[in-house]
Amino acid sequence: MKTNSTGHQPGPVKNSHLTNDAPTSEAVESLSTVSLRCTECAALYPGIEGGASPRYRCDCGGVLDVEMQFNLPRTQTAPFDIYANFDVDSDLLPAAGAKLRQIFDERASTPPIWSTSADKLLLDHSGVWRYRELILPAPEQFIISRPEGNTILYPVGMENCGPGRVGHRQIGVYAGLERLFLKHEGENPTGSFKDRGMTVGVTMAQLLGARAVACASTGNTSASLASYAAQAGMRGIVFLPAGNVAGGKLAQTLAYGATTIQINGDFDDAMQLVERVCGELGIYLLNSLNPFRVEGQKAIGFEILQQLDWQAPDWLVLPAGNLGNTSAIGKAFRQAYELSLISHMPRFASIQAEGANPFYRSFKQGFASREHVQAHTVASAIKIGNPVSYTRARRVIEESDGIVEEVSDEEILAAKNIIDRSGIGCEPASAATVAGIRKLVERGIIKRDERVVGILTGNLLKDSLTGIPQGSDSVVVEANIDAVRKALLK
Amino acid sequence: MKTNSTGHQPGPVKNSHLTNDAPTSEAVESLSTVSLRCTECAALYPGIEGGASPRYRCDCGGVLDVEMQFNLPRTQTAPFDIYANFDVDSDLLPAAGAKLRQIFDERASTPPIWSTSADKLLLDHSGVWRYRELILPAPEQFIISRPEGNTILYPVGMENCGPGRVGHRQIGVYAGLERLFLKHEGENPTGSFKDRGMTVGVTMAQLLGARAVACASTGNTSASLASYAAQAGMRGIVFLPAGNVAGGKLAQTLAYGATTIQINGDFDDAMQLVERVCGELGIYLLNSLNPFRVEGQKAIGFEILQQLDWQAPDWLVLPAGNLGNTSAIGKAFRQAYELSLISHMPRFASIQAEGANPFYRSFKQGFASREHVQAHTVASAIKIGNPVSYTRARRVIEESDGIVEEVSDEEILAAKNIIDRSGIGCEPASAATVAGIRKLVERGIIKRDERVVGILTGNLLKDSLTGIPQGSDSVVVEANIDAVRKALLK
């Protein structure tokens, strides 16, 4: 299974620098409670199989979703460190939910001490692994974590904005909401929400004995994969649509040392190619097809709920491209509701760019057909014409009595200008959230007094050149006081 | 004191959009325990004066330093919420130090709940205002906080790097240290350490009734000022040396809506001009001359100590440009030692770029004279020829038995490559820290088994184009499987 250096061969090429080793029995054992369910035909597969190649799709071609037997805390005994495996029994759920909340709050309150061998403590400080019972039952020594998460939930509504945030409050005024929070996922270590899925994806790669990991990406996933692969000592390989990636994201990916293959094609071409080449060469595939990345993205939802003291909002609004976040955060809220962590489900609003709106088109037909488009939008992170997580996301919109909305590039850039000038800032795709909220409030779908959480997905610095308004307030002057005075008082 | 719209006048120009209002009596009262001491002639001034313009320099021209009567906790009673004003009495210090540690740890352990009117809670979550007794006694309603801080202290030494960090450990191997931590200040909201000083600086501006704030900057300060001014609803004005600011930083500053004046000159020219124009127009000056920004930067030191469970390291190593960080973190450790928060002072090592090394030159002469240079270095954030905080920083080096070292641009970029490829990443100036540590370990000044904390000052995304190695692993290929396979297996 190790090296095979001869050139031409039929069947999968093995390469010692790329191909996975077999997973250890410990790894296989640890994931015995994890299964993969086809989102199309409901077929069930093991989460990890010793000896076999990792599975990314059902035999029917459908996308897979992780199913887990939760290892819930025993509620009859007081100490936090005593657990028991028991099946989800509905009578026990309220008590188990209360206990889980207590465990998560206890971990979130761990003092920030980073001593020599404090790996367990570091995991409690991760905004993903803090919720590990609901993410992945990986043994600690396999986990690759920065840690990540712990992003700020900015209160920016007209009512819930404190006196020290008169600038931030302008976002609430623009959106027309009294109680609005923005969760800024651009504050993750590599500057986007992708780090939450990637810590879980690269941990799975570690469990599987991977030597190389690969993805196709509009940029943020590449940067995140490159960073986490480097931390784990794996080779990172990223496929980007040439000329369609924001400068900061490409530079990050190269700096972290990933092999960067720019495809003369669009994102959807790159997606197809990476899936095929990973299968051929035995490279672990970490694009959004990978079901374990979705499990990590769920943590955005759990962290929002914890920051709101487990009081679910009325609405959760987010940008929609490949639909991974809609799927993941929807799944998180559904599980939180099923486990009695919260008492009601929020409604979801997924916001697409008008030029990259296949999910919106399907929604307008009552999801009668799955649409594809040739994507065009200034918001490169959601410039996706054929979203991988369509079925998972559709379920979230349907179950939550949710909605899909579209906004124009002009509306996106106008909202970005408001977010930037409030002092918070974000990348263009993130601004679709606020543009969408404004539209839905104007249309009366979101009520002015409802409690709304919007997601900002990426850092301002990720794409700093897009959306700087024409005629921004910048002048070049000579180095003397008269020139400066004139520039200021003009 | 409000408007004055007539054109030509002798004396200071008043402008309703720029000039400060007078501070309220509440603001003046709250800062009654704060004084400003000249670092050159030791003259003493009040921290805030009702009616008068803010003071940035001593009458002798010297830079000012904040002195505070600490409002220490009463140690005789148990509850955290009972304080008493008492002078620093050396017999009481060990107990007061223990109590302060307890208060700070309690605040750091506050569950992350962000409810509607949770301003006080938000302050406990700030990595600056958590230590407010040692920062600034500002009333809560004046404080402008994101919150900021809470940056990761990465364990990266050969011994203290856990199993999930084999990539990060390469930094420890490169540096030659068993127990090395890197404090990544690039994880602050605007991507640099400057946010810590800026939250305090803009809070002072709020206390003083400022309508506009200004600075000169190599870029990171501009971005931070622009963001915090926007949050506070003030006009932000930044002076940048034209053509000498990293792209991401300039774009950030414009996006946050600051008035951006690019000076045809270097950083030192911009510094002189902003000081003069602020005095003339009554704009609150927030460059590194401002003594209150230094008080905020101290929080880097307090947060490191808290993350190390109040066990001071043997060495603190950091990049040195304008010397604000050396001054501030040195002051933090000195105060922590005086208040018995820690039991010994670490030694400081300030690292300069060879082409911007005035502090190094002075150090080599035993600080016999204060040197100026014409600065040239790839590390734009420390490209400063005449550092404002020279005297404060000199005191830190002398008191801590510290050292000043210089590293070449090649050494900086080599260290940056190691930090980037570990998966952590930083801006060029930050890499001076690791380059300097490696040099000092090689020279036997830092011992291999000493416990060392290095500061990374800025995010990789701040200056993503500098230092990408020639021949980075990027290719453009056609959108077909043969081309991709060939690119990967070449």
Side-chain angles (χ1 to χ4, degrees), chain A residues 40-352:
Chain A
E40 304 298 336
C41 76
L44 199 66
Y45 302 94
I48 187 173
E49 296 170 85
S53 293
R55 173 180 286 278
Y56 311 107
R57 283 191 189 272
C58 177
D59 290 341
C60 83
V63 172
L64 299 169
D65 196 27
V66 173
E67 279 191 3
M68 238 186 294
Q69 193 96 304
F70 290 124
N71 188 12
L72 293 179
R74 181 197 295 275
T75 53
Q76 290 78 355
T77 56
F80 295 131
D81 55 353
I82 297 175
Y83 290 78
N85 273 311
F86 58 80
D87 289 358
V88 176
D89 175 333
S90 58
D91 292 346
L92 297 174
L93 280 176
K99 194 69 174 180
L100 269 182
R101 282 197 300 266
Q102 193 180 345
I103 290 171
F104 296 155
D105 287 346
E106 181 93 357
R107 287 182 189 151
S109 308
T110 309
I113 299 168
W114 306 73
S115 33
T116 312
S117 54
D119 286 330
K120 181 158 186 176
L121 222 54
L122 291 191
L123 290 188
D124 286 351
H125 284 288
S126 164
V128 175
W129 298 102
R130 175 179 304 139
Y131 314 104
R132 50 192 173 264
E133 285 81 358
L134 309 183
I135 302 286
L136 190 76
E140 271 171 42
Q141 70 272 25
F142 288 94
I143 293 176
I144 309 293
S145 169
R146 285 291 275 263
E148 44 288 312
N150 304 308
T151 57
I152 299 177
L153 184 68
Y154 290 96
V156 301
M158 290 183 283
E159 287 295 319
N160 70 337
C161 209
R165 295 179 191 274
V166 298
H168 295 180
R169 189 172 175 279
Q170 291 308 309
I171 303 172
V173 172
Y174 187 76
L177 284 176
E178 292 169 8
R179 290 177 297 163
L180 173 60
F181 295 89
L182 291 179
K183 177 72 169 165
H184 205 329
E185 288 294 294
E187 295 171 353
N188 273 291
T190 77
S192 86
F193 71 97
K194 299 288 187 179
D195 292 343
R196 298 200 188 242
M198 203 52 73
T199 180
V200 178
V202 172
T203 295
M204 271 306 291
Q206 187 88 333
L207 281 161
L208 289 162
R211 296 179 179 191
V213 290
C215 71
S217 164
T218 56
N220 281 330
T221 307
S222 306
S224 186
L225 177 139
S227 174
Y228 280 86
Q231 175 173 343
M234 294 170 194
R235 180 168 171 192
I237 303 164
V238 305
F239 290 68
L240 301 169
N244 277 293
V245 173
K249 301 178 187 181
L250 178 57
Q252 257 187 312
T253 305
L254 291 172
Y256 292 137
T259 299
T260 304
I261 298 180
Q262 298 191 58
I263 304 284
N264 270 329
D266 63 12
F267 170 75
D268 305 291
D269 294 328
M271 275 291 278
Q272 284 177 18
L273 284 167
V274 74
E275 186 177 350
R276 189 153 158 212
V277 82
C278 283
E280 274 193 17
L281 301 181
I283 300 165
Y284 190 55
L285 179 63
L286 273 178
N287 67 359
S288 43
L289 201 60
N290 186 301
F292 295 99
R293 276 188 44 215
V294 169
E295 296 306 294
Q297 295 305 138
K298 288 189 328 197
I300 301 173
F302 298 137
E303 198 172 276
I304 288 168
L305 291 176
Q306 185 165 36
Q307 287 172 316
L308 294 175
D309 203 15
W310 308 104
Q311 306 295 313
D314 297 310
W315 284 92
L316 196 292
V317 187
L318 75 180
N322 218 358
L323 302 177
N325 264 345
T326 300
S327 306
I329 302 174
K331 188 173 180 183
F333 279 65
R334 186 191 312 129
Q335 292 181 337
Y337 178 68
E338 285 170 356
L339 291 167
S340 296
L341 284 167
I342 54 174
S343 60
H344 78 272
M345 273 287 283
R347 296 178 71 186
F348 274 71
S350 293
I351 314 297
Q352 294 215 289

